[in-house]
Each structure stands twice: as C-alpha cells, then as structure tokens.
Amino acid sequence: MKYKMYLSTLFVALLLMPLVGAKTKTEKSNSKVDVSAIEFVEVSEEINLGFDTKSYLPADFDPYAAASNIHSIDFIEIEEELTIDTKKYLPENFNAYE
C-alpha cells in the first residue's frame, strides 16, 4: 500500500517538475507614459426627477458656488428629553462628568 502511495507521489512530482523552473515572459518597458496624451471623456447624464427643480430653488442659486458665510446656515437642533427616571438604574452618587 505504501509502495503505491510513494509511486503516485513520485509520478505527480515528475509531472509538476517542469512548472518549477518555468519562467513567465515579462515585457520590460523603459518608455514613459505621457499623461497629457491621455484623453479624458466626461460623461454627463441628465437625471429626470419627475418635477421641475427650478421652482423650488432661489432665482440666483448656484450649486457650485461656495457658501459665503458658514454661520449663515440655519441648523435645526431638536432637544430630546428622557421620559424615564434614570436615577433608579444608576448607582448612588453617580456623576457622568467625573
């Protein structure tokens, strides 16, 4: 039994032996790529939202213009109050800021 296993292992090794010394052909290129020769094609697809967006935006709206003053942006802050009494779930003299 061991004799057949040794012979089959030797047979497989002999079959794979040419792959060990095989070298892949690699092309070495010394030429440099000219970045300016690469042509960039910008694809602009129009998106149909199903309604006219102009009626919802100001007349002088420019989406590419930077905001002139970041403080002019109005944020809505919603303060949520807890309706459960947390004191019965925390240890005595608990202080979250210590």
Side-chain angles (χ1 to χ4, degrees):
M1 189 73 154
K2 287 185 178 182
Y3 180 70
K4 288 182 181 179
M5 191 173 110
Y6 288 130
L7 280 178
S8 62
T9 305
L10 181 64
F11 180 71
V12 170
L14 288 175
L15 285 175
L16 296 176
M17 190 63 106
L19 296 176
V20 173
K23 293 183 180 178
T24 58
K25 294 182 181 178
T26 57
E27 295 180 18
K28 292 185 179 180
S29 176
N30 293 334
S31 64
K32 295 181 180 179
V33 176
D34 185 18
V35 178
S36 62
I38 299 173
E39 186 175 334
F40 176 71
V41 178
E42 185 175 346
V43 178
S44 61
E45 295 182 16
E46 205 169 298
I47 300 172
N48 184 7
L49 298 175
F51 60 93
D52 186 21
T53 56
K54 290 180 184 177
S55 59
Y56 296 97
L57 298 172
D60 59 347
F61 178 75
D62 184 11
Y64 301 109
S68 58
N69 185 3
I70 192 95
H71 300 293
S72 66
I73 300 173
D74 295 328
F75 294 101
I76 300 173
E77 293 184 22
I78 301 172
E79 292 185 21
E80 296 182 18
E81 294 183 21
L82 293 176
T83 57
I84 41 177
D85 184 22
T86 57
K87 290 182 182 179
K88 61 183 176 181
Y89 298 108
L90 298 173
E92 291 181 24
N93 300 325
F94 176 77
N95 186 355
Y97 299 107
E98 287 184 356

